[in-house]
Amino acid sequence: MVTEVSTGGEGHPGSIDIQPLMRQNFLEYASYVIVDRAIPEIRDGFKPVQRRILATLWNMHDGRFHKVANVIGDTMKLHPHGDASIGDALVVLANKGYFIERQGNFGNVITGHRAAAARYIECRLTPLARETLFHPELTQKQPSYDGRKEEPVRLPAKLPVILLLGIEGIAVGMSTRILPHNFCELLLAQIKLLKKEPIELFPDFPHGGLVDVSEYDDGRGRVKVRAKIEADGPKKVVIREIPYGTTTESLIASLENATTKGKVKIGSIQDFTTDRVEIQIDLPRGATAAETIPQLYAYTDCEVSLNSALTVIRDRHPADLSVTEILTDCTKDLKAQLKAELELELEKLDDKKHWLTLEQIFIEQRVWQRLERAKTDASVRKEVWDGMQENALLFVRPMTEDDVDRLLKIHIRRISAYDIARYRAQMQEIDAAIKVARSKLRNLTKTTIAYLEGLLVTYGRDWPRRTQIGTFESVDKKAVSLQNIKVTFDPDSGFIGSAVKSGARTFSMS
């Protein structure tokens, strides 16, 4: 028997209306792609695949480099979308430089060369990542896709990662393009927010170059990025830095394309790029560096326009925000994270003080001597309990049966005068640490500012601004194209034009 399937719904006996099923499945798929694949989470700034890679590197961390192939294999236990997506995401994240330290050929973001095979290259977490992205005791976990492992719901990041890295993603019906920003400028802006001062942030690109931010509009607009071009004499032009989003290979292709179309006159192109960009352009007769540089900006990828669309996941829902709104949220989250860490530290210090107090009472008040007259296990426990309760006013918190068990396991050597003095010294250290932690909690804003200033001192020198901010004058394409047209006049024939040859005198249209 064949069942007729209809999308029309009615009028067909025995048909099945699949429209509700398709609609429901499509919505579930779209929601999954938006929330769990393509759009980054505002709080830690990562897409799920990036978060899983970093969590895997944390679990593997032993101070040594790990084969990328091994990292990919372990990440596949958390990420259900194959090794290729993990490997590509790891290479991209490593080339950002902030959180993954590289060893081997990870490709080149400037030239566009791909990384070596995963079995040949190695990586590990950077000190910055270990200090700012992880705190196992304060990390909420969830089961992995097959239930065999646990993965973090989010990393307890203490950096505005989402603005630091710059992220692009395409989901169902929406996309995001967050341009990267400078490490030091982000932290300084957070300090200003904590001091309730106004902020202004602009992108900073690893490629360097020049950027016009007049239309950035706090992340809701666009920027124009230019290559850094220098004239090396009247007949030679050298490109030293390239725009973000391009490579030397794609840039040279755009130069060749513009030359073919007659937009720019170029004699030869030589690429001497290593770790620094150096593309040398030799000019033919009739062309000068002063004329050619505006033409390069007008007709090639030496100038590109980058749109900024800050779509993020906030509270499991997509949201369109500005740079200031994102940084404000990240700063509030940092403050809450530091508060949680201080409260956990206080809890641990209180536990340690509680136990040291009990040991001190047990030994110095000679409660242990009461055990000499106890003949049964129950009487031993009762003697400890009764003896300790006589000093209950000294307790940090009420004693429990578990505390009795621990007291009964104290080694006999611990009752020496040496250990008694050591207890008192440790107690003073704990009291001092508790005082410091409580002071930091009372002045949480000041504590957060001090934390950010500490990061700037430790890591700030590694991340200077690379892209020079300026304002570009729009290149008049009509004007620069006229520079390529040479008009000649033949006095013998009286003809004038760009194709007149015999006995002609040449004039520039500019």
Side-chain angles (χ1 to χ4, degrees):
M1 178 181 178
V2 178
T3 302
E4 182 181 352
V5 178
S6 170
T7 60
E10 298 179 0
H12 298 276
S15 65
I16 302 172
D17 184 6
I18 65 171
Q19 279 192 2
L21 180 64
M22 293 293 291
R23 187 178 295 110
Q24 178 63 28
N25 287 350
F26 176 77
L27 288 174
E28 290 180 1
Y29 168 75
S31 298
Y32 170 72
V33 172
I34 291 169
V35 176
D36 291 316
R37 287 201 69 180
I39 309 297
E41 158 69 47
I42 187 174
R43 292 175 297 175
D44 66 1
F46 295 114
K47 296 180 183 180
V49 65
Q50 296 172 322
R51 187 180 303 114
R52 288 160 180 160
I53 289 168
L54 291 168
T56 299
L57 282 170
W58 172 261
N59 293 331
M60 296 175 70
H61 185 72
D62 57 6
R64 297 180 293 178
F65 283 95
H66 303 278
K67 287 283 187 184
V68 168
N70 291 337
V71 178
I72 292 172
D74 274 17
T75 306
M76 285 182 70
K77 298 173 183 177
L78 304 177
H79 191 67
H81 301 292
D83 61 328
S85 62
I86 297 170
D88 291 345
L90 192 153
V91 168
V92 170
L93 191 56
N95 282 327
K96 301 284 186 182
Y98 293 103
F99 303 130
I100 298 180
E101 188 176 350
R102 303 164 294 174
Q103 185 164 276
N105 177 18
F106 274 75
N108 191 320
V109 295
I110 294 176
T111 64
H113 293 153
R114 292 182 59 82
R119 60 186 179 276
Y120 298 127
I121 55 180
E122 299 177 321
C123 66
R124 65 182 176 189
L125 291 174
T126 63
L128 176 64
R130 297 197 304 274
E131 180 176 345
T132 61
L133 297 185
F134 300 96
H135 199 301
E137 293 167 291
L138 295 176
T139 303
Q140 183 184 353
K141 298 290 186 70
Q142 64 184 2
S144 62
Y145 67 94
D146 62 0
R148 289 187 174 93
K149 297 280 185 179
E150 284 192 330
E151 63 173 313
V153 175
R154 75 172 183 101
L155 297 179
K158 296 195 284 291
L159 288 175
V161 174
I162 199 164
L163 295 174
L164 181 65
L165 295 182
I167 295 175
E168 294 184 32
I170 299 175
V172 180
M174 67 179 60
S175 64
T176 186
R177 188 176 199 181
I178 302 172
L179 303 179
H181 293 71
N182 181 262
F183 176 88
C184 298
E185 291 175 8
L186 284 171
L187 269 58
L188 289 170
Q190 286 187 291
I191 291 173
K192 286 186 175 182
L193 286 174
L194 290 164
K195 293 179 177 179
K196 302 187 183 305
E197 298 175 4
I199 65 167
E200 193 174 41
L201 279 170
F202 302 116
D204 183 29
F205 305 112
H207 291 51
L210 314 170
V211 61
D212 183 342
V213 297
S214 57
E215 298 178 53
Y216 189 50
D217 191 22
D218 203 19
R220 292 191 172 101
R222 64 172 188 162
V223 297
K224 288 185 287 186
V225 189
R226 281 185 176 179
K228 186 177 181 181
I229 305 176
E230 299 174 355
D232 186 6
K235 304 297 290 182
K236 186 184 295 184
V237 171
V238 181
I239 300 175
R240 300 290 186 187
E241 295 173 358
I242 62 176
Y244 180 72
T246 67
T247 64
T248 54
E249 186 176 327
S250 67
L251 185 62
I252 290 172
S254 77
L255 294 174
E256 293 171 343
N257 185 48
T259 304
T260 302
K261 293 180 178 179
K263 301 294 186 182
V264 183
K265 288 185 177 180
I266 293 176
S268 65
I269 303 171
Q270 300 179 73
D271 187 3
F272 299 113
T273 300
T274 53
D275 58 330
R276 293 178 179 272
V277 175
E278 185 178 349
I279 301 173
Q280 182 177 301
I281 302 173
D282 295 309
L283 305 179
R285 290 182 61 186
T288 65
E291 293 175 350
T292 303
I293 291 175
Q295 294 168 4
L296 294 176
Y297 288 137
Y299 295 113
T300 74
D301 285 348
C302 288
E303 179 179 315
V304 297
S305 181
L306 303 175
N307 293 318
S308 175
L310 278 65
T311 303
V312 300
I313 300 300
R314 182 168 65 176
D315 299 327
R316 300 290 294 175
H317 291 84
D320 293 324
L321 305 175
S322 66
V323 168
T324 301
E325 289 171 333
I326 289 177
L327 194 65
T328 300
D329 269 22
C330 290
T331 305
K332 289 178 181 177
D333 197 54
L334 168 63
K335 200 171 178 180
Q337 182 68 28
L338 292 176
K339 181 181 179 182
E341 290 182 6
L342 286 168
E343 289 172 345
L344 180 62
E345 181 185 351
L346 267 177
E347 184 180 333
K348 289 181 176 180
L349 288 169
D350 284 338
D351 286 343
K352 192 172 182 180
K353 183 176 180 180
H354 168 70
W355 172 241
L356 283 176
T357 301
L358 294 182
E359 280 198 33
Q360 193 174 18
I361 293 170
F362 185 75
I363 293 169
E364 294 186 15
Q365 301 302 321
R366 300 187 179 277
V367 176
W368 55 272
Q369 289 183 339
R370 299 170 66 115
L371 304 182
E372 296 174 355
R373 57 179 179 262
K375 296 181 179 180
T376 64
D377 180 66
S379 62
V380 166
R381 299 182 68 83
K382 186 175 185 306
E383 290 294 341
V384 173
W385 188 270
D386 292 345
M388 294 297 294
Q389 290 301 323
E390 292 176 3
N391 301 276
L393 292 177
L394 301 176
F395 290 176
V396 174
R397 63 169 181 260
M399 192 174 71
T400 65
E401 290 294 334
D402 289 338
D403 293 326
V404 173
D405 291 334
R406 289 184 65 180
L407 289 170
L408 289 172
K409 293 176 183 177
I410 292 177
H411 296 293
I412 193 67
R413 183 187 182 281
R414 302 287 287 276
I415 66 175
S416 66
Y418 167 76
D419 283 281
I420 291 172
R422 190 162 58 87
Y423 281 139
R424 291 173 179 169
Q426 287 179 349
M427 192 70 73
Q428 291 177 352
E429 292 175 3
I430 291 172
D431 286 337
I434 289 174
K435 184 177 179 181
V436 170
R438 287 177 177 166
S439 174
K440 288 181 176 180
L441 273 173
R442 285 194 300 269
N443 302 280
L444 198 54
T445 299
K446 186 177 179 181
T447 300
T448 308
I449 291 173
Y451 176 80
L452 291 168
E453 289 173 342
L455 289 179
L456 283 169
V457 170
T458 306
Y459 302 105
R461 63 182 179 275
D462 298 329
W463 308 107
R465 169 166 275 278
R466 295 182 176 91
T467 307
Q468 182 180 339
I469 298 174
T471 302
F472 307 154
E473 292 184 7
S474 297
V475 178
D476 186 341
K477 290 187 177 183
K478 184 177 180 181
V480 298
S481 65
L482 288 176
Q483 293 174 352
N484 285 331
I485 301 175
K486 302 298 181 182
V487 177
T488 55
F489 170 67
D490 184 357
D492 297 331
S493 64
F495 287 109
I496 185 170
S498 60
V500 176
K501 300 292 182 183
S502 174
R505 298 177 184 175
T506 303
F507 305 93
S508 173
M509 287 293 290
S510 58

